[in-house]
Every structure is written in C-alpha cells, then in structure tokens.
Amino acid sequence: LPALHRAKLDELLQLTAPPVVEPVEREASASLDPSRQQLIRGLSRLRDQLISGDGRSPSVRLRVLRNERAFDLGRLERISLGLGERALEQARAGRVARLIDASEAGTHRAAEDCGEALQQLDRAHRDRVEETGSHDLYLGYPFLAGAVARQTSIVAYPVRAPLLLYPVELVRDSRGARSWKLAPKGDEDPIVNQSLVRLLFNKMRFGFPDSLAEELDELAADRAGGLDAVIARLREVGVEITPRSGPLTAFETRTDLEAGGHHLELEEIAVLGLFPQSSSDLLQDYDAVI
C-alpha cells in the first residue's frame, strides 16, 4: 500500500487505530503524536486535490474526444446541415431530440459512424452506473476555455470543459436498433459544472461557499435565461468570461490555452459525455475527519 504522503485519490489506504487510552492521556498525546499530525496533513492534501483537480478530469479539461467518453454534437452536421443545432436547441429546452434515424444509419456513412460512437458511449455509461451507481451522462454546453491564475502568479492553469450540464439519457428509437434520441433525464434541471467552477475559484484563491454553489445551480435551472444569469453572477464575484456567439462548431484540440496568461472565453461547442462531479458530501466528510 502507498505511503500516506504519496497516496492518490483513487488508491487504497489502510489505517490502523491506536490503542484506546483514557481521555486525559488521549488529549495530551494527540498534540504530540506525529502519526496523527501526518494523518491530518495527508487527508488535507487529498481534500485539496479533490477540490482543485489535477487536469485529468474531463469535467475540468477535455483534451480529446473518445467514443466511449464523449460525443460531439457537431458531428451531426455531417449527416444533415443544422441537425446538431436543432438537437442542441431541443435538449436545452427539455424536449426529446432526434439524433439518428435507422434509415440514415443504413445508407449514410457519417450516420453509421455517429451511431457506433453513440453505442459505445451508451455502453460505457451503463457500465459505470452498474459498477458505481454514478449517473454522469450530461449534455455539456457551452464550453469554457482558457487559463486561470491568481493575480500574483505568472503560472496559468489551462481549462476547457462545459460550463452548464444538462442531465439527459440516450434512448434507442423503437423504429430501429440504430436509431438514437436524446431525452431529458426525469425532472432534473440543468446544473453548473461544479467541478470546473470549484477549480476556477481554487486557482484564483477565491472562496467558494456552498451558498454560492447552490445559487449558481438555481440560476442554471432556468432553461431560458440560465446561461446569461450564471455568467453575470460569476462576473459579480470576479470571474470575467468573454462571450462568443455564432453557429455550433466542432470540437477540435487546442494547444493555445496557456498563451496570454489568465483569460476565459466561451466556445459554441456542445458535447454529450461523461462529466463526473465532485460531491460536496464527500468534501464535508473530509472536513469532519480532519
């Protein structure tokens, strides 16, 4: 098993409780016991890593698209012009969105490729639900890209991930096994990508209270004006974001995120994928133990 000071978030740790002592003796020894201090330092480091991330999470920085993790709605434009835009508009409004018809998948190479990609993503999502119980499938739009740093630092941390997440489900159309639709997940509302926003505030050395997290989710729940309201609220607390407008664009790898220091901008990109969220309950568990 790894040493506590080198352990990662997903590694198994074995902790052994010390012998039970009398209350007075326990209080005196707790302040002097170096193993207890080492445990607190180790747990504090893991908590900070959970909040700040390490750049590998797609909820913080999506580097490339893999079929088993993400599907770019921009790919639908290869099937029919405007199909991606329509699917995005319907999904954001909480309506069922058609992605692929069986007739298209059988006669159109682009539709067949998209169908295979959606099947891999659906299988990966179902496996994750079965193994962990986590429902991490969201339609992410728009993307927040750039680099973030506190005012006194010249080192910028690159980010590129969805700002808002729309809970959805992939549904096979009854008209054919290769038909796919995107349906809203129950009565769940859109949410803010808390993993991304927590990292922004952490890197900028801003406080991020639970009350602000709840407020941002409440603003995002408004499907009509939630995006503008979230951006306005972030600006009020010091997170400046440059808006972008125009048609939906395809996701492409970017290598310029760190250029120019601190900057954040929106991208007209929509990706259906697995975007895990850091649990605030888990953070509270860390705080309670520490």
Side-chain angles (χ1 to χ4, degrees):
L1 297 178
L4 181 61
H5 65 280
R6 292 195 300 267
K8 303 298 183 182
L9 285 173
D10 55 355
E11 289 184 309
L12 178 65
L13 296 177
Q14 181 175 346
L15 304 178
T16 303
V20 178
V21 296
E22 295 299 322
V24 176
E25 182 181 352
R26 184 187 302 119
E27 181 178 355
S29 62
S31 60
L32 301 176
D33 187 0
S35 64
R36 180 182 178 89
Q37 297 175 5
Q38 182 184 10
L39 174 61
I40 293 176
R41 287 196 299 270
L43 291 175
S44 298
R45 183 182 62 82
L46 291 175
R47 179 193 184 278
D48 292 340
Q49 185 178 348
L50 178 66
I51 294 176
S52 63
D54 59 4
R56 294 180 298 176
S57 171
S59 300
V60 171
R61 186 179 181 184
L62 187 61
R63 300 170 184 266
V64 296
L65 298 186
R66 296 183 175 88
N67 288 343
E68 69 276 9
R69 292 297 301 258
F71 177 83
D72 181 11
L73 256 62
R75 293 179 63 177
L76 298 176
E77 298 295 310
R78 304 174 188 174
I79 302 174
S80 175
L81 188 62
L83 179 57
E85 290 272 10
R86 290 193 297 273
L88 172 61
E89 181 180 350
Q90 291 167 344
R92 292 185 64 197
R95 303 195 302 270
V96 176
R98 179 182 70 87
L99 302 180
I100 302 174
D101 281 335
S103 58
E104 295 172 333
T107 59
H108 199 294
R109 179 60 185 175
E112 185 176 352
D113 291 342
C114 289
E116 292 175 356
L118 290 170
Q119 184 175 9
Q120 292 183 43
L121 175 59
D122 183 57
R123 184 182 299 116
H125 170 59
R126 292 179 184 277
D127 289 344
R128 174 171 296 197
V129 172
E130 183 176 349
E131 294 172 2
T132 68
S134 299
H135 292 263
D136 298 327
L137 183 65
Y138 296 96
L139 175 61
Y141 170 86
F143 266 56
L144 183 65
V148 59
R150 61 182 185 273
Q151 293 181 349
T152 58
S153 175
I154 60 175
V155 179
Y157 189 95
V159 296
R160 194 186 190 197
L163 179 58
L164 297 191
L165 299 173
Y166 297 81
V168 292
E169 292 180 325
L170 271 171
V171 180
R172 285 183 179 274
D173 196 317
S174 59
R175 290 178 294 173
R178 291 182 293 182
S179 296
W180 292 94
K181 290 183 177 180
L182 201 59
K185 186 175 183 295
D187 296 327
E188 296 186 20
D189 294 319
I191 61 174
V192 169
N193 183 352
Q194 296 285 350
S195 295
L196 174 63
V197 175
R198 283 183 183 277
L199 181 134
L200 296 179
F201 277 66
N202 179 268
K203 295 299 182 182
M204 297 177 69
R205 297 295 189 268
F206 289 177
F208 189 64
D210 288 340
S211 58
L212 179 57
E214 295 173 359
E215 181 183 356
L216 291 174
D217 276 344
E218 291 177 359
L219 294 174
D222 180 5
R223 292 182 179 271
L227 175 59
D228 292 338
V230 167
I231 294 174
R233 186 68 181 100
L234 289 175
R235 284 175 176 164
E236 289 178 1
V237 296
V239 182
E240 290 292 334
I241 299 174
T242 302
R244 290 287 184 269
S245 59
L248 188 68
T249 59
F251 181 96
E252 296 181 355
T253 301
R254 292 184 58 175
T255 59
D256 63 330
L257 296 179
E258 299 176 66
H262 178 93
H263 67 286
L264 294 170
E265 64 181 25
L266 292 181
E267 293 181 305
E268 286 294 320
I269 294 174
V271 172
L272 174 67
L274 303 177
F275 297 106
Q277 296 295 285
S278 297
S279 170
S280 59
D281 292 338
L282 185 56
L283 294 177
Q284 294 173 9
D285 291 341
Y286 270 107
D287 292 336
V289 172
I290 293 172

